[in-house]
Amino acid sequence: MPKIKPKNYTPIGKLLFDDVRLLGKTPRLIDEWQVQPKLWDYIRHEVDDRRQAAQFILTGSANPEESINLHSGAGRFTTLDMRTMSWQELGFSSGKVGMEGLFEGAKIDIYDEPVELEFIVEKIITGGFPALLGKSLVQAMDINRAYIDLLAEIDMSRISNIKRDPVKVRNLLRSMARNTATTVEIKTLAADIQEREHGDISRPTVYEYLDALNRLMITEEQPAWDTHIRSSSSLRKMPKRHFTDVCLSVAALGIDAKSLLADINYTGFLFESLVIHELRVYAQANDAKVYYYRDSSNLEIDAIVQKYNGDWIACEVKLGTGQIEEAAINLKKFVTVLDFQKVKPPKSLNIITGTGISYTRSDGINVISMASLGV
């Protein structure tokens, strides 16, 4: 995706590594620093010498290889995940229902104009990359599909330093797209990746592909919530997998709005992935992370947002309003299995919908439209 180059921007190719003083106005932004990992140590020493804060900003579209020996950077660096734009940033959500308020147990009594299903589908296809602002739906689809092509043909091999088969990469991306927002097993991905003429693909190789996608920040795992329950059920540990922007799921499959409107069940999974993206953005601003819950009885909660101090909220995600009652029953059942002698009670129970309005039910459960959700 095209990038806007801010002031004090330094391309890697312009740096003189014999002169490691990194001179220039500060804060100085160095883009794609992972291409030259030695920068990490150069800057660490420069920070020690200057004894000043906010001197450098390092940005990159991928993480460096784990095999590269880097100092931890403790006391010098702070990391921040950057994601594509949220609905609140794009102006599609009023932000009147803030996550901060949900952690305070605030009641909801507002009205925002409900959004149409067709609007949600269009925004799922378009995504939140800043480069797509002002682009038509057709233009966005073309750009996102080109991104997938470059990923399969070039980026996967570049990040791994190993030539990757573009056919297998595309098959993996399609498989992950079909199974977005689920705990898909490695054997399922392996079966989808392999082509008859290529033979079997080993599980370690599948893990290598998944690691490369994570390092490229194309995919992001949603970990299972590790909590205490009173029932005899066991907790599931396998993470859910999402594309970092739901539009990449659509691009990987090459489908359009007509296809999504004809398959509401699958569109519901894409909507869940979109909501998880939104929750991650708002959670980060509230010192929290996003998990999911599932036990061996198949009781599942789509999102648990938990702060570092242990405070948490639970969210079920439903594309339409017809499943609100089912979601409320699920949330109430979930609360009964928790051991509140070992885990805090929830600050709020919530149902996030696509097409409805926002309000608090008589049983205290919040119903929240995506057009209202914010920080």
Side-chain angles (χ1 to χ4, degrees), residues 32-274:
E32 301 295 0
W33 72 272
Q34 79 284 350
V35 176
Q36 294 289 348
K38 289 183 179 179
L39 275 170
W40 182 272
D41 285 332
Y42 290 159
I43 290 175
R44 178 172 63 88
H45 289 301
E46 194 70 15
V47 170
D48 288 343
D49 291 342
R50 297 185 187 188
R51 298 182 180 276
Q52 295 179 1
Q55 294 294 293
F56 302 98
I57 302 171
L58 306 185
T59 60
S61 59
N63 290 314
E65 295 182 31
E66 291 185 359
S67 60
I68 295 175
N69 186 22
L70 294 176
H71 186 278
S72 69
R76 289 95 161 179
F77 296 89
T78 299
T79 60
L80 180 68
D81 292 327
M82 300 296 292
R83 295 185 170 87
T84 57
M85 298 177 73
S86 69
W87 269 35
Q88 187 176 12
E89 292 170 308
L90 290 166
F92 306 146
S93 170
S94 69
K96 292 179 182 177
V97 181
M99 183 173 288
E100 182 180 5
L102 297 180
F103 272 107
E104 295 172 352
K107 303 300 180 184
I108 299 171
D109 184 19
I110 67 167
Y111 179 84
D112 281 321
E113 286 293 331
V115 296
E116 299 294 332
L117 176 60
E118 290 78 7
F119 178 87
I120 296 171
V121 166
E122 180 178 324
K123 300 313 171 188
I124 285 174
I125 294 172
T126 303
F129 287 102
L132 299 180
L133 288 172
K135 296 292 191 295
S136 69
L137 182 61
V138 172
Q139 289 173 324
M141 290 171 62
D142 288 342
I143 292 171
N144 290 337
R145 288 173 184 175
Y147 192 23
I148 291 294
D149 288 339
L150 288 172
L151 176 65
E153 297 285 347
I154 299 173
D155 289 347
M156 282 289 283
S157 297
R158 175 181 56 82
I159 196 69
S160 305
N161 291 320
I162 299 172
K163 178 59 179 176
R164 299 296 187 188
D165 184 343
V167 174
K168 290 184 177 180
V169 174
R170 286 191 177 90
N171 287 345
L172 172 61
L173 294 173
R174 292 189 190 106
S175 180
M176 296 185 69
R178 284 193 295 269
N179 294 284
T180 192
T182 68
T183 54
V184 59
E185 296 187 2
I186 296 298
K187 65 180 181 181
T188 300
L189 296 176
D192 286 346
I193 293 173
Q194 67 190 37
E195 293 284 304
R196 290 180 181 177
E197 61 270 25
H198 291 285
D200 294 339
I201 185 169
S202 67
R203 290 191 179 191
T205 301
V206 176
Y207 280 115
E208 289 176 9
Y209 275 58
L210 293 175
D211 177 67
L213 288 172
N214 284 335
R215 287 176 52 211
L216 285 165
M217 303 177 193
I218 300 299
T219 58
E220 187 172 6
E221 294 182 348
Q222 182 185 359
W225 194 40
D226 187 13
T227 188
H228 299 277
I229 57 178
R230 294 183 294 183
S231 71
S232 59
S233 301
S234 58
L235 297 177
R236 299 307 192 197
K237 301 295 185 182
M238 185 183 298
K240 287 186 178 183
R241 292 185 173 88
H242 301 265
F243 282 91
T244 47
D245 194 293
V246 69
C247 70
L248 298 178
S249 295
V250 179
L253 292 174
I255 52 182
D256 57 16
K258 184 177 180 180
S259 301
L260 294 182
L261 290 171
D263 189 352
I264 296 300
N265 183 58
Y266 177 63
T267 302
F269 284 105
L270 292 177
F271 179 70
E272 179 182 336
S273 194
L274 169 63

Side-chain angles (χ1 to χ4, degrees), residues 297-309:
S297 72
N298 285 327
L299 175 60
E300 182 173 349
I301 300 298
D302 296 324
I304 305 293
V305 185
Q306 185 175 41
K307 290 188 174 185
Y308 284 93
N309 66 4

